[in-house]
Amino acid sequence: MEIRKLFNVEAAQHIVRNATSYRCSHSVHNHGAIVEVFLTSNKLDNGGMIVDFGILKGTVKSFVDSFDHCMTFWSKDNEEYIRDMKKWNDRWIVLPINPSAELLSLYMCYIINKIIDATEFNNGEGDIKCSRVIYHETVTGYAESKIEDINMLPVDLKAEFSEGVQKDWPIELRRFFAEGMPEGVKYFENPKIEKQV
């Protein structure tokens, strides 16, 4: 069984270096993206759900929303270009990946799984996973990544998020990224049920 949540990311701006399309690789451009996040589990919780959509409206939404009205850079890009874009933009992210739709969907799948692993669930949830992410870059094109594709990402996935991005985050998400997403630490908590029927 699988559930899906849609997120809109407006005007995410980037250059995709090394692309065969000259426009794509040499000019800053933007996309109004739709991000589809799919979750699976080996069982349903006490409410008969994989997980309450509330978790997707909270921490996961805050993470995906980081890309909204935001400049994204590949950490291997030209230092002068990155410095100049940072100077004129409040919201930016320096990523360890080239910001193609394919790599953005993989990166989001990876981070969402890290968020899930760092969440304490309190309603009998099973083994929840982000099974896939579909990143619709345009009306006619998208990239779909699956959890088994995550090995296509580089080993070091440290990103740098501007203060303009982080100011919209809850304190737990700030700590999560600041401390390097360590294994076994629960930064987030799914609400506890007051009374079970």
Side-chain angles (χ1 to χ4, degrees):
M1 182 171 284
E2 193 170 57
I3 60 172
R4 176 189 72 160
K5 181 74 175 162
L6 293 175
F7 300 96
N8 287 313
V9 176
E10 295 299 335
Q13 300 184 24
H14 65 174
I15 288 179
V16 181
R17 300 296 186 193
N18 303 327
T20 54
S21 165
Y22 188 84
R23 286 182 183 182
C24 188
S25 63
H26 286 78
S27 298
V28 173
H29 58 284
N30 67 298
H31 300 283
I34 295 173
V35 178
E36 294 183 73
V37 175
F38 295 82
L39 299 185
T40 60
S41 180
N42 60 339
K43 70 175 214 159
L44 299 178
D45 70 7
N46 294 329
M49 305 179 220
I50 287 177
V51 69
D52 195 305
F53 275 114
I55 187 175
L56 293 168
K57 293 177 189 173
T59 308
V60 172
K61 181 183 185 307
S62 292
F63 166 67
V64 174
D65 188 60
S66 301
F67 293 83
D68 188 65
H69 288 75
C70 187
M71 291 291 300
T72 55
F73 314 106
W74 185 16
S75 59
K76 293 182 180 180
D77 210 322
N78 180 284
E79 289 178 24
E80 182 181 6
Y81 161 69
I82 293 174
R83 185 183 62 245
D84 288 347
M85 291 294 109
K86 283 180 175 182
K87 178 181 177 181
W88 297 108
N89 290 281
D90 183 52
R91 293 175 56 82
W92 49 263
I93 305 169
V94 179
L95 293 164
I97 55 169
N98 201 8
S100 67
E102 291 84 348
L103 285 169
L104 286 170
S105 69
L106 277 168
Y107 181 73
M108 288 181 179
C109 188
Y110 173 80
I111 296 295
I112 291 167
N113 274 302
K114 287 290 197 180
I115 289 170
I116 290 167
D117 290 345
T119 301
E120 181 181 324
F121 293 98
N122 296 299
N123 197 27
E125 292 86 356
D127 185 22
I128 302 165
K129 296 288 181 212
C130 175
S131 55
R132 58 193 173 116
V133 171
I134 300 176
Y135 189 94
H136 296 263
E137 188 171 75
T138 65
V139 176
T140 60
Y142 69 82
E144 179 176 355
S145 64
K146 297 179 177 139
I147 193 169
E148 56 267 21
D149 299 328
I150 287 177
N151 63 349
M152 294 180 183
L153 287 167
V155 174
D156 182 7
L157 290 172
K158 186 168 174 44
E160 181 186 358
F161 297 88
S162 73
E163 183 57 34
V165 169
Q166 292 184 49
K167 73 179 180 187
D168 295 332
W169 287 354
I171 189 70
E172 298 86 2
L173 192 59
R174 281 180 175 247
R175 282 188 49 233
F176 174 73
F177 278 107
E179 295 175 11
M181 305 176 288
E183 299 290 328
V185 179
K186 301 296 185 187
Y187 291 89
F188 318 105
E189 184 176 7
N190 214 25
K192 292 183 176 157
I193 304 301
E194 300 265 336
K195 180 180 174 186
Q196 294 284 354
V197 178

